[in-house]
Amino acid sequence: MVPPSFDSSEEPGRAVGACRLEVTAVLEKTTHVAALGWRLWVDGTPQPARARPRRYGRTRIAAEIAALGLGLREVGPAGCAELLVAVADPRLVGLLTGTPDVRLRRAGAAAARLGRDLARFRSVRYESEFAPDPELAHAMGEALDTALHRVAEREELRDRAMERIVERAREVVLERDDRGWLANGRYRVALDPPSCECPAWTTRWSRTPIAARRAQRLPCKHLVALALHEGIRVPADLAALARRAPP
């Protein structure tokens, strides 16, 4: 596939020292896995299509910004003075050119962090409409499959871990007082919203980003004990307590 040149009046590949970086991403909403893809052309010559799986993705545009960051690492050694960045999401062009969007504050901050890398080039231009590259699309599909398989493997471990937590929860002693529920005489625990004072629920996950915390964290044995006491017994419903918890 021959990419378009930087100037439509020129033939492809005529601009010496010119690079074109095509960037795209896919986010699978039910599992929050993503595939990050990029491909570089140097003076019209295509380099191998690249793609990488990502276990946790917040939004598609955030995934595309991450893909751009990976692509820029490959552009650096190519030594190009001019860069054309082709992105799949047109909103990203605005973020990269400094156009504010109050709905995309986090994505805007992530895009701004790429400013130093983009400032290395003599000129940078952007486009958001281009024909899909078949090789890049294939690499993206492979990366997404890899991410989904990793989720499946992780889910098996989560199921086993959940079974063990339920077993340990049956040994928890719950007491009711005027402030609510106390587990094992030490930790305040509640279901609405799900919360517990134990280290397994708080300290262990305190430095984990919210998105990953909600995706990975399982409820502690004290929360499960209270849920069992209240009649919640389906394993999926017990595991969902962690996703319902406040930040």
Side-chain angles (χ1 to χ4, degrees):
M1 175 180 177
V2 179
S5 65
F6 286 80
D7 187 334
S8 59
S9 64
E10 299 176 354
E11 294 180 9
R14 285 290 182 86
V16 177
C19 283
R20 179 178 187 271
L21 178 63
E22 183 176 325
V23 176
T24 188
V26 173
L27 179 67
E28 210 284 317
K29 294 182 179 180
T30 57
T31 59
H32 292 280
V33 300
L36 315 180
W38 67 96
R39 194 176 195 187
L40 176 66
W41 282 264
V42 180
D43 286 338
T45 300
Q47 309 302 303
R50 310 286 189 188
R52 179 176 297 182
R54 170 167 285 196
R55 174 63 181 86
Y56 301 108
R58 295 189 305 272
T59 61
R60 186 184 180 282
I61 194 169
E64 194 165 330
I65 292 169
L68 175 57
L70 294 171
L72 288 173
R73 295 180 189 178
E74 187 174 344
V75 175
C80 295
E82 300 176 354
L83 178 64
L84 174 62
V85 179
V87 297
D89 193 327
R91 297 176 299 170
L92 184 50
V93 176
L95 296 179
L96 293 169
T97 55
T99 303
D101 189 329
V102 295
R103 298 166 300 177
L104 301 171
R105 291 179 180 176
R106 182 177 292 181
R113 287 193 288 270
L114 297 177
R116 181 178 301 178
D117 293 327
L118 292 167
R120 299 196 312 257
F121 301 96
R122 185 173 63 204
S123 67
V124 180
R125 294 199 283 166
Y126 303 94
E127 68 174 39
S128 58
E129 295 183 3
F130 52 90
D133 173 48
E135 291 186 30
L136 181 56
H138 175 76
M140 289 280 291
E142 292 290 322
L144 189 61
D145 286 345
T146 297
L148 291 170
H149 280 293
R150 289 179 180 176
V151 168
E153 293 171 2
R154 182 69 182 180
E155 289 299 324
E156 289 180 5
L157 297 177
R158 286 170 59 83
D159 290 344
R160 294 174 190 171
M162 194 67 229
E163 291 174 1
R164 180 59 177 152
I165 291 171
V166 171
E167 291 175 8
R168 291 175 56 79
R170 300 190 189 282
E171 301 173 0
V172 172
V173 177
L174 295 170
E175 299 175 88
R176 178 85 179 189
D177 60 20
D178 57 350
R179 296 175 55 195
W181 289 98
L182 191 65
N184 287 345
R186 300 183 62 182
Y187 304 117
R188 288 288 165 189
V189 60
L191 287 181
D192 190 18
S195 64
C196 185
E197 295 177 343
C198 75
W201 179 254
T202 56
T203 306
R204 180 180 177 187
W205 297 94
S206 60
R207 297 183 180 180
T208 305
I210 293 174
R213 192 185 314 167
R214 286 180 168 165
Q216 290 181 291
R217 181 169 61 170
L218 289 173
C220 64
K221 63 182 180 181
H222 312 105
L223 267 172
V224 172
L226 183 54
L228 292 172
H229 177 80
E230 297 295 325
I232 301 173
R233 304 188 183 280
V234 178
D237 294 339
L238 293 172
L241 291 171
R243 291 192 290 273
R244 288 174 38 219

